[in-house]
Amino acid sequence: MAVQQNKKSKSKKGMRRAHHNVAIPAVIICSCGNPTVPHCVCPSCGNYKGRNYVEQA
Amino acid sequence: MRHKKAGRKFNRTPSHRKALLKNLAIALVKNGRITTTLAKAKTLRGVVEPLITLALRNDVHARRQAYATLGDRTLVARLFDEIGPLFTSTGGYTRVVKLAQPRKGDAAPLAIIEFVKQPAAKSEAGAEAKEEA
């Protein structure tokens, strides 16, 4: 089995990990004015496509 | 490899999977609307929609076929006498909508599955009764 000859530097490790980023979630503004996720029932008002799905307390 | 093999296994044995979908179908017929994971909701469509098609046929054989899944005569009666008559055309009896907040604990994406037309008598009870599965 091939084994690395030299230890990778901190710089090389950082360069490799430069693309290890967490995806930024898509956010839209619901008609109620609060941010929500696209294609989902709004957690603030419980509406989606003009219908109410979750009753708000 | 899974190439071209359709369907979800839910990490369960066939009998366990069958029981799960049967339980979900019973909960949906009972309540008219349930909250569950997105994958289960999507799979449940393929179980519940044929039941409605049976209800449209509305003969003794169809009732017995529905009983094989529901296992409860009152539920079969509800399916055939309350839910079935709401629909005329074939297909598209259920609606799956995604919820923005994932489940606490395992961050599973959640969804609501409901009948497109809710039975009038129990629509109020169906809105508050939710089944976590």
Side-chain angles (χ1 to χ4, degrees):
Chain A
M1 194 179 83
V3 177
Q4 67 174 23
Q5 188 166 22
N6 299 104
K7 179 178 177 175
K8 282 273 189 288
S9 67
K10 288 174 191 171
S11 164
K12 276 289 172 193
K13 183 172 73 179
M15 281 193 254
R16 181 175 65 243
R17 293 180 183 174
H19 295 283
H20 294 189
N21 46 4
V22 175
I24 298 167
V27 174
I28 58 164
I29 302 300
C30 174
S31 54
C32 71
N34 289 301
T36 183
V37 187
H39 311 293
C40 288
V41 176
C42 173
S44 306
C45 61
N47 288 323
Y48 179 61
K49 289 202 170 176
R51 287 194 186 84
N52 185 266
Y53 288 99
V54 183
E55 300 295 326
Q56 295 302 308
Chain B
M1 284 179 281
R2 213 214 92 253
H3 295 176
K4 300 187 91 175
K5 291 180 192 169
R8 297 176 183 84
K9 291 173 150 184
F10 297 112
N11 199 17
R12 283 160 167 85
T13 60
S15 57
H16 190 181
R17 192 158 55 237
K18 191 179 161 193
L20 167 79
L21 291 171
K22 182 175 166 161
N23 286 335
L24 286 172
I26 289 168
L28 181 57
V29 171
K30 211 177 257 180
N31 298 302
R33 166 189 290 188
I34 58 173
T35 304
T36 180
T37 66
L38 179 61
K40 284 173 192 160
K42 283 185 171 181
T43 307
L44 185 59
R45 289 184 300 200
V47 178
V48 169
E49 301 230 357
L51 287 179
I52 308 272
T53 306
L54 285 176
L56 293 181
R57 228 170 70 202
N58 199 10
D59 51 35
V60 175
H61 181 47
R63 277 177 187 264
R64 284 171 184 167
Q65 283 176 309
Y67 181 81
T69 300
L70 296 176
D72 184 343
R73 297 215 178 279
T74 57
L75 282 183
V76 174
R78 176 168 160 73
L79 176 71
F80 277 67
D81 303 333
E82 292 175 44
I83 299 168
L86 298 172
F87 300 99
T88 48
S89 60
T90 54
Y93 311 121
T94 58
R95 176 187 296 130
V96 174
V97 288
K98 294 171 211 169
L99 296 177
Q101 294 284 349
R103 183 161 65 192
K104 276 184 182 172
D106 64 353
L110 295 177
I112 290 173
I113 179 168
E114 64 177 8
F115 293 119
V116 171
K117 293 172 184 166
Q118 292 287 332
K122 286 189 80 178
S123 64
E124 200 63 30
E128 61 188 55
K130 279 166 194 166
E131 189 73 18
E132 190 71 36

PDB file of all heavy atoms in Angstrom, chain B residues 69-87:
ATOM      1  N   THR B  69     -56.411  -4.172   4.847  1.00  0.00           N
ATOM      2  CA  THR B  69     -55.438  -3.169   5.278  1.00  0.00           C
ATOM      3  C   THR B  69     -55.848  -2.516   6.583  1.00  0.00           C
ATOM      4  O   THR B  69     -55.041  -2.369   7.496  1.00  0.00           O
ATOM      5  CB  THR B  69     -55.272  -2.081   4.198  1.00  0.00           C
ATOM      6  OG1 THR B  69     -54.812  -2.699   3.002  1.00  0.00           O
ATOM      7  CG2 THR B  69     -54.267  -1.031   4.628  1.00  0.00           C
ATOM      8  N   LEU B  70     -57.120  -2.125   6.693  1.00  0.00           N
ATOM      9  CA  LEU B  70     -57.548  -1.325   7.838  1.00  0.00           C
ATOM     10  C   LEU B  70     -57.835  -2.188   9.062  1.00  0.00           C
ATOM     11  O   LEU B  70     -57.574  -1.773  10.189  1.00  0.00           O
ATOM     12  CB  LEU B  70     -58.786  -0.498   7.479  1.00  0.00           C
ATOM     13  CG  LEU B  70     -58.551   0.556   6.390  1.00  0.00           C
ATOM     14  CD1 LEU B  70     -59.840   1.239   6.031  1.00  0.00           C
ATOM     15  CD2 LEU B  70     -57.520   1.577   6.834  1.00  0.00           C
ATOM     16  N   GLY B  71     -58.401  -3.379   8.845  1.00  0.00           N
ATOM     17  CA  GLY B  71     -58.618  -4.287   9.956  1.00  0.00           C
ATOM     18  C   GLY B  71     -59.617  -3.802  10.986  1.00  0.00           C
ATOM     19  O   GLY B  71     -59.522  -4.169  12.149  1.00  0.00           O
ATOM     20  N   ASP B  72     -60.554  -2.941  10.564  1.00  0.00           N
ATOM     21  CA  ASP B  72     -61.526  -2.392  11.507  1.00  0.00           C
ATOM     22  C   ASP B  72     -62.784  -2.010  10.722  1.00  0.00           C
ATOM     23  O   ASP B  72     -62.701  -1.218   9.786  1.00  0.00           O
ATOM     24  CB  ASP B  72     -60.931  -1.156  12.216  1.00  0.00           C
ATOM     25  CG  ASP B  72     -61.855  -0.608  13.281  1.00  0.00           C
ATOM     26  OD1 ASP B  72     -63.052  -0.950  13.269  1.00  0.00           O
ATOM     27  OD2 ASP B  72     -61.387   0.172  14.124  1.00  0.00           O
ATOM     28  N   ARG B  73     -63.927  -2.588  11.092  1.00  0.00           N
ATOM     29  CA  ARG B  73     -65.134  -2.369  10.290  1.00  0.00           C
ATOM     30  C   ARG B  73     -65.611  -0.927  10.357  1.00  0.00           C
ATOM     31  O   ARG B  73     -66.140  -0.392   9.377  1.00  0.00           O
ATOM     32  CB  ARG B  73     -66.248  -3.305  10.753  1.00  0.00           C
ATOM     33  CG  ARG B  73     -65.897  -4.765  10.559  1.00  0.00           C
ATOM     34  CD  ARG B  73     -67.111  -5.619  10.192  1.00  0.00           C
ATOM     35  NE  ARG B  73     -66.681  -6.998   9.970  1.00  0.00           N
ATOM     36  CZ  ARG B  73     -66.140  -7.427   8.845  1.00  0.00           C
ATOM     37  NH1 ARG B  73     -65.962  -6.600   7.828  1.00  0.00           N
ATOM     38  NH2 ARG B  73     -65.765  -8.673   8.715  1.00  0.00           N
ATOM     39  N   THR B  74     -65.422  -0.262  11.511  1.00  0.00           N
ATOM     40  CA  THR B  74     -65.854   1.139  11.595  1.00  0.00           C
ATOM     41  C   THR B  74     -65.005   2.021  10.677  1.00  0.00           C
ATOM     42  O   THR B  74     -65.503   2.972  10.083  1.00  0.00           O
ATOM     43  CB  THR B  74     -65.751   1.653  13.044  1.00  0.00           C
ATOM     44  OG1 THR B  74     -64.404   1.495  13.487  1.00  0.00           O
ATOM     45  CG2 THR B  74     -66.673   0.902  13.968  1.00  0.00           C
ATOM     46  N   LEU B  75     -63.712   1.684  10.567  1.00  0.00           N
ATOM     47  CA  LEU B  75     -62.835   2.462   9.689  1.00  0.00           C
ATOM     48  C   LEU B  75     -63.175   2.206   8.233  1.00  0.00           C
ATOM     49  O   LEU B  75     -63.143   3.128   7.411  1.00  0.00           O
ATOM     50  CB  LEU B  75     -61.366   2.114   9.953  1.00  0.00           C
ATOM     51  CG  LEU B  75     -60.733   2.744  11.183  1.00  0.00           C
ATOM     52  CD1 LEU B  75     -59.273   2.363  11.257  1.00  0.00           C
ATOM     53  CD2 LEU B  75     -60.882   4.246  11.153  1.00  0.00           C
ATOM     54  N   VAL B  76     -63.498   0.943   7.886  1.00  0.00           N
ATOM     55  CA  VAL B  76     -63.904   0.642   6.508  1.00  0.00           C
ATOM     56  C   VAL B  76     -65.180   1.404   6.177  1.00  0.00           C
ATOM     57  O   VAL B  76     -65.310   2.005   5.102  1.00  0.00           O
ATOM     58  CB  VAL B  76     -64.107  -0.878   6.321  1.00  0.00           C
ATOM     59  CG1 VAL B  76     -64.673  -1.174   4.943  1.00  0.00           C
ATOM     60  CG2 VAL B  76     -62.790  -1.613   6.502  1.00  0.00           C
ATOM     61  N   ALA B  77     -66.108   1.451   7.143  1.00  0.00           N
ATOM     62  CA  ALA B  77     -67.354   2.190   6.928  1.00  0.00           C
ATOM     63  C   ALA B  77     -67.069   3.675   6.737  1.00  0.00           C
ATOM     64  O   ALA B  77     -67.652   4.328   5.867  1.00  0.00           O
ATOM     65  CB  ALA B  77     -68.287   1.972   8.117  1.00  0.00           C
ATOM     66  N   ARG B  78     -66.144   4.216   7.543  1.00  0.00           N
ATOM     67  CA  ARG B  78     -65.788   5.636   7.409  1.00  0.00           C
ATOM     68  C   ARG B  78     -65.168   5.888   6.046  1.00  0.00           C
ATOM     69  O   ARG B  78     -65.491   6.877   5.382  1.00  0.00           O
ATOM     70  CB  ARG B  78     -64.810   6.008   8.524  1.00  0.00           C
ATOM     71  CG  ARG B  78     -64.275   7.422   8.450  1.00  0.00           C
ATOM     72  CD  ARG B  78     -63.556   7.792   9.734  1.00  0.00           C
ATOM     73  NE  ARG B  78     -62.643   8.911   9.549  1.00  0.00           N
ATOM     74  CZ  ARG B  78     -63.034  10.172   9.392  1.00  0.00           C
ATOM     75  NH1 ARG B  78     -64.305  10.472   9.382  1.00  0.00           N
ATOM     76  NH2 ARG B  78     -62.147  11.128   9.219  1.00  0.00           N
ATOM     77  N   LEU B  79     -64.276   4.977   5.607  1.00  0.00           N
ATOM     78  CA  LEU B  79     -63.619   5.138   4.301  1.00  0.00           C
ATOM     79  C   LEU B  79     -64.644   5.107   3.166  1.00  0.00           C
ATOM     80  O   LEU B  79     -64.604   5.938   2.261  1.00  0.00           O
ATOM     81  CB  LEU B  79     -62.577   4.030   4.112  1.00  0.00           C
ATOM     82  CG  LEU B  79     -61.865   3.975   2.764  1.00  0.00           C
ATOM     83  CD1 LEU B  79     -60.917   5.147   2.622  1.00  0.00           C
ATOM     84  CD2 LEU B  79     -61.107   2.681   2.607  1.00  0.00           C
ATOM     85  N   PHE B  80     -65.576   4.155   3.225  1.00  0.00           N
ATOM     86  CA  PHE B  80     -66.500   3.960   2.105  1.00  0.00           C
ATOM     87  C   PHE B  80     -67.666   4.938   2.139  1.00  0.00           C
ATOM     88  O   PHE B  80     -68.171   5.334   1.091  1.00  0.00           O
ATOM     89  CB  PHE B  80     -67.017   2.515   2.106  1.00  0.00           C
ATOM     90  CG  PHE B  80     -66.064   1.555   1.449  1.00  0.00           C
ATOM     91  CD1 PHE B  80     -64.843   1.275   2.018  1.00  0.00           C
ATOM     92  CD2 PHE B  80     -66.382   0.957   0.243  1.00  0.00           C
ATOM     93  CE1 PHE B  80     -63.954   0.405   1.420  1.00  0.00           C
ATOM     94  CE2 PHE B  80     -65.498   0.083  -0.372  1.00  0.00           C
ATOM     95  CZ  PHE B  80     -64.284  -0.192   0.225  1.00  0.00           C
ATOM     96  N   ASP B  81     -68.132   5.319   3.348  1.00  0.00           N
ATOM     97  CA  ASP B  81     -69.356   6.110   3.438  1.00  0.00           C
ATOM     98  C   ASP B  81     -69.090   7.601   3.617  1.00  0.00           C
ATOM     99  O   ASP B  81     -69.919   8.426   3.242  1.00  0.00           O
ATOM    100  CB  ASP B  81     -70.215   5.604   4.608  1.00  0.00           C
ATOM    101  CG  ASP B  81     -70.533   4.119   4.456  1.00  0.00           C
ATOM    102  OD1 ASP B  81     -70.558   3.651   3.296  1.00  0.00           O
ATOM    103  OD2 ASP B  81     -70.734   3.430   5.468  1.00  0.00           O
ATOM    104  N   GLU B  82     -67.933   7.967   4.203  1.00  0.00           N
ATOM    105  CA  GLU B  82     -67.667   9.389   4.443  1.00  0.00           C
ATOM    106  C   GLU B  82     -66.606   9.943   3.499  1.00  0.00           C
ATOM    107  O   GLU B  82     -66.770  11.008   2.919  1.00  0.00           O
ATOM    108  CB  GLU B  82     -67.221   9.617   5.898  1.00  0.00           C
ATOM    109  CG  GLU B  82     -68.322   9.360   6.918  1.00  0.00           C
ATOM    110  CD  GLU B  82     -67.804   9.476   8.344  1.00  0.00           C
ATOM    111  OE1 GLU B  82     -67.060  10.429   8.632  1.00  0.00           O
ATOM    112  OE2 GLU B  82     -68.135   8.604   9.160  1.00  0.00           O
ATOM    113  N   ILE B  83     -65.476   9.223   3.375  1.00  0.00           N
ATOM    114  CA  ILE B  83     -64.353   9.759   2.604  1.00  0.00           C
ATOM    115  C   ILE B  83     -64.533   9.476   1.115  1.00  0.00           C
ATOM    116  O   ILE B  83     -64.362  10.360   0.275  1.00  0.00           O
ATOM    117  CB  ILE B  83     -63.021   9.171   3.114  1.00  0.00           C
ATOM    118  CG1 ILE B  83     -62.808   9.562   4.581  1.00  0.00           C
ATOM    119  CG2 ILE B  83     -61.857   9.676   2.286  1.00  0.00           C
ATOM    120  CD1 ILE B  83     -61.696   8.818   5.272  1.00  0.00           C
ATOM    121  N   GLY B  84     -64.921   8.225   0.770  1.00  0.00           N
ATOM    122  CA  GLY B  84     -65.040   7.836  -0.632  1.00  0.00           C
ATOM    123  C   GLY B  84     -65.976   8.720  -1.450  1.00  0.00           C
ATOM    124  O   GLY B  84     -65.616   9.164  -2.543  1.00  0.00           O
ATOM    125  N   PRO B  85     -67.193   9.029  -0.928  1.00  0.00           N
ATOM    126  CA  PRO B  85     -68.137   9.820  -1.725  1.00  0.00           C
ATOM    127  C   PRO B  85     -67.665  11.239  -2.033  1.00  0.00           C
ATOM    128  O   PRO B  85     -68.240  11.904  -2.899  1.00  0.00           O
ATOM    129  CB  PRO B  85     -69.400   9.851  -0.838  1.00  0.00           C
ATOM    130  CG  PRO B  85     -69.270   8.669   0.042  1.00  0.00           C
ATOM    131  CD  PRO B  85     -67.813   8.505   0.297  1.00  0.00           C
ATOM    132  N   LEU B  86     -66.623  11.728  -1.321  1.00  0.00           N
ATOM    133  CA  LEU B  86     -66.116  13.079  -1.598  1.00  0.00           C
ATOM    134  C   LEU B  86     -65.423  13.135  -2.947  1.00  0.00           C
ATOM    135  O   LEU B  86     -65.281  14.201  -3.541  1.00  0.00           O
ATOM    136  CB  LEU B  86     -65.125  13.498  -0.504  1.00  0.00           C
ATOM    137  CG  LEU B  86     -65.644  13.598   0.926  1.00  0.00           C
ATOM    138  CD1 LEU B  86     -64.482  13.834   1.881  1.00  0.00           C
ATOM    139  CD2 LEU B  86     -66.654  14.713   1.052  1.00  0.00           C
ATOM    140  N   PHE B  87     -64.955  11.975  -3.417  1.00  0.00           N
ATOM    141  CA  PHE B  87     -64.136  11.959  -4.634  1.00  0.00           C
ATOM    142  C   PHE B  87     -64.907  11.328  -5.785  1.00  0.00           C
ATOM    143  O   PHE B  87     -65.720  10.421  -5.583  1.00  0.00           O
ATOM    144  CB  PHE B  87     -62.853  11.165  -4.376  1.00  0.00           C
ATOM    145  CG  PHE B  87     -62.000  11.727  -3.284  1.00  0.00           C
ATOM    146  CD1 PHE B  87     -62.043  11.200  -2.005  1.00  0.00           C
ATOM    147  CD2 PHE B  87     -61.172  12.810  -3.520  1.00  0.00           C
ATOM    148  CE1 PHE B  87     -61.264  11.729  -0.992  1.00  0.00           C
ATOM    149  CE2 PHE B  87     -60.392  13.346  -2.514  1.00  0.00           C
ATOM    150  CZ  PHE B  87     -60.439  12.808  -1.251  1.00  0.00           C
TER     151      PHE B  87
END
